[in-house]
Amino acid sequence: MRVGLAASAIWFLNSAAPALGSPHRLGGGGGGVEVSLTRIVMALVLGTMLAVLAALFIRRSGGRPDLKALRRVFTNLPSMRRIQIIESRRVSQHADLCLVRCDDTEYLILTSAQQQQIVRTTALLDAPLEDGAA
């Protein structure tokens, strides 16, 4: 049984070899494909680097993708941003009180579903610029 199976496999490979390896089907036959060795090596190096970086990322995240860490890589540093939310507190069920810093000015903002109101504006180096009634 095994001899018959091996003999049929050898016969199949011998009969199919000229059809599978014909040069005109593989794009060759003449001078062949002109790809420089430098391009091949550079593609190998690039692929290896991407695989190593992916492995390090997976190892660092413990097998689970850490999307927050990946997002931090592609965003600006907090010190380079102009607007910072210093503090935010829930005043009632429908309203929040937020302390926001933009450039050298701090704003105390009351927000609700119906309206937003600036309660106080303060320059960081000077006295308050304006006061509003809440």
Side-chain angles (χ1 to χ4, degrees):
M1 178 80 175
R2 290 185 183 184
V3 175
L5 185 62
S8 63
I10 290 173
W11 176 81
F12 175 74
L13 290 175
N14 283 335
S15 64
L20 293 176
S22 61
H24 67 299
R25 287 185 53 196
L26 297 176
V33 179
E34 297 291 330
V35 179
S36 67
L37 186 60
T38 305
R39 288 183 71 180
I40 295 171
V41 170
M42 292 304 290
L44 178 66
V45 168
L46 179 67
T48 304
M49 286 178 18
L50 287 175
V52 167
L53 287 175
L56 288 175
F57 178 72
I58 291 172
R59 182 177 179 200
R60 182 177 177 202
S61 64
R64 295 182 311 263
D66 189 8
L67 297 178
K68 289 182 181 180
L70 187 61
R71 189 177 301 130
R72 273 185 265 138
V73 170
F74 294 110
T75 58
N76 292 337
L77 296 173
S79 62
M80 297 177 70
R81 295 181 180 168
R82 289 183 59 211
I83 298 174
Q84 296 176 343
I85 298 176
I86 306 300
E87 190 173 350
S88 178
R89 296 280 184 218
R90 175 74 69 179
V91 177
S92 70
Q93 184 179 1
H94 303 286
D96 290 331
L97 196 61
C98 302
L99 182 62
V100 178
R101 180 180 297 154
C102 180
D103 295 333
D104 290 331
T105 308
E106 286 186 350
Y107 300 96
L108 187 63
I109 302 171
L110 180 66
T111 62
S112 66
Q114 292 80 19
Q115 67 178 0
Q116 292 76 33
Q117 182 179 2
I118 297 177
V119 178
R120 185 177 62 207
T121 302
T122 307
L124 290 178
L125 301 176
D126 298 50
L129 298 175
E130 63 180 270
D131 288 322

